[in-house]
Amino acid sequence: QSALTQPASVSGSPGQSVTISCTGTSSDVGAHNYVSWYQQHPGKAPQLMIYDVGNRPSGVSNRFSGSKSGNTASLTISGLQAEDEADYYCSSYTSNTLVFGEGTKLTVL
Amino acid sequence: EVQLLESGGTLVQPGDSLTLSCAVSGFTFSSYAMSWVRQAPGKGLEWVSGISGSSAFTYYADSVKGRFTISRDNSKNTLFLQMNSLRAEDTAVYYCAKDRGRLRFFDNWGQGTLVTVSS
């Protein structure tokens, strides 16, 4: 149950777009479409941003989008806003367990 | 409104046991799988354990298998995590989360409860 690989940090200026990658294996990310993304602000509980690779829950801004190619999933945030500064985690189902990514700290410059 | 409220976190010594609870409201508890996810101080998220709506299926991370037991009481809308043989590395904020389909994704989370394992 190794964690999925994410960049430790990404940054962008307001209005720009950033993409966070999430690399797994053919047993997890590459095996199905049960990949999701969570946003976590300091001291707060995680919040679901994307589920099943590219679906947004009700209430989540359409500036957030998800995709997948092979064993790598991606979260793209367009039109960066100051409130997007947070930690982001991907997750994937695998063999009756769930694995999270290492987490990526997004800084809005 | 969906609400999940964890309780039971405290300071314990290595080797001790502790049971966490998660009281839920705002949805039909028995219809949903649930999970526990933890976060060590300054670290990332780690899935710990999951349980189906009927309790027929339970799942555990290798790091807690054999030491932790997940259960639920659908009559009381409450999820539990019994933790035995606690270690320093179990120190974390423990979140309960509502699962939309057997470890598929978590659409609601509690605020977390802190478990500290230290002598």
Side-chain angles (χ1 to χ4, degrees):
Chain A
Q1 295 174 346
S2 299
L4 305 175
T5 300
Q6 297 181 231
S9 63
V10 298
S11 63
S13 299
Q16 289 186 333
S17 294
V18 295
T19 296
I20 301 171
S21 62
C22 170
T23 302
T25 69
S26 57
S27 297
D28 40 58
V29 175
H32 50 72
N33 288 330
Y34 288 174
V35 176
S36 52
W37 289 89
Y38 301 87
Q39 178 192 67
Q40 186 180 34
H41 287 108
K44 301 295 187 181
Q47 177 186 350
L48 178 69
M49 305 303 286
I50 294 288
Y51 67 93
D52 294 352
V53 174
N55 294 294
R56 270 187 318 275
S58 174
V60 171
S61 170
N62 59 10
R63 298 185 298 105
F64 291 84
S65 62
S67 63
K68 190 186 83 166
S69 177
N71 297 338
T72 299
S74 299
L75 172 71
T76 298
I77 309 170
S78 59
L80 270 179
Q81 299 180 359
E83 67 207 47
D84 299 332
E85 185 162 295
D87 294 325
Y88 291 84
Y89 296 91
C90 61
S91 73
S92 174
Y93 170 85
T94 175
S95 302
N96 287 333
T97 65
L98 185 136
V99 60
F100 281 100
E102 299 159 327
T104 298
K105 181 177 180 58
L106 168 63
T107 300
V108 181
L109 302 171
Chain B
E1 179 190 6
V2 172
Q3 292 190 332
L4 298 87
L5 183 63
E6 302 93 338
S7 62
T10 189
L11 171 64
V12 297
Q13 294 189 336
D16 282 355
S17 297
L18 186 67
T19 298
L20 304 182
S21 300
C22 172
V24 314
S25 61
F27 64 99
T28 304
F29 183 58
S30 60
S31 295
Y32 292 91
M34 298 289 294
S35 272
W36 288 97
V37 176
R38 68 184 180 183
Q39 186 169 36
K43 302 298 184 181
L45 301 175
E46 179 189 14
W47 174 79
V48 173
S49 181
I51 186 169
S52 62
S54 66
S55 300
F57 303 99
T58 57
Y59 312 94
Y60 297 94
D62 287 345
S63 58
V64 306
K65 197 173 296 182
R67 298 189 301 123
F68 289 11
T69 301
I70 191 171
S71 63
R72 62 193 296 161
D73 184 339
N74 287 344
S75 69
K76 297 183 178 179
N77 288 353
T78 304
L79 175 73
F80 302 100
L81 184 67
Q82 180 181 346
M83 304 182 293
N84 297 330
S85 303
L86 282 162
R87 307 166 180 168
E89 54 264 37
D90 295 318
T91 294
V93 173
Y94 285 74
Y95 296 99
C96 63
K98 174 170 160 278
D99 186 344
R100 289 303 300 274
R102 207 176 95 168
L103 308 181
R104 182 179 166 195
F105 62 89
F106 307 133
D107 60 350
N108 294 96
W109 297 64
Q111 87 293 341
T113 187
L114 177 62
V115 174
T116 303
V117 184
S118 176
S119 56

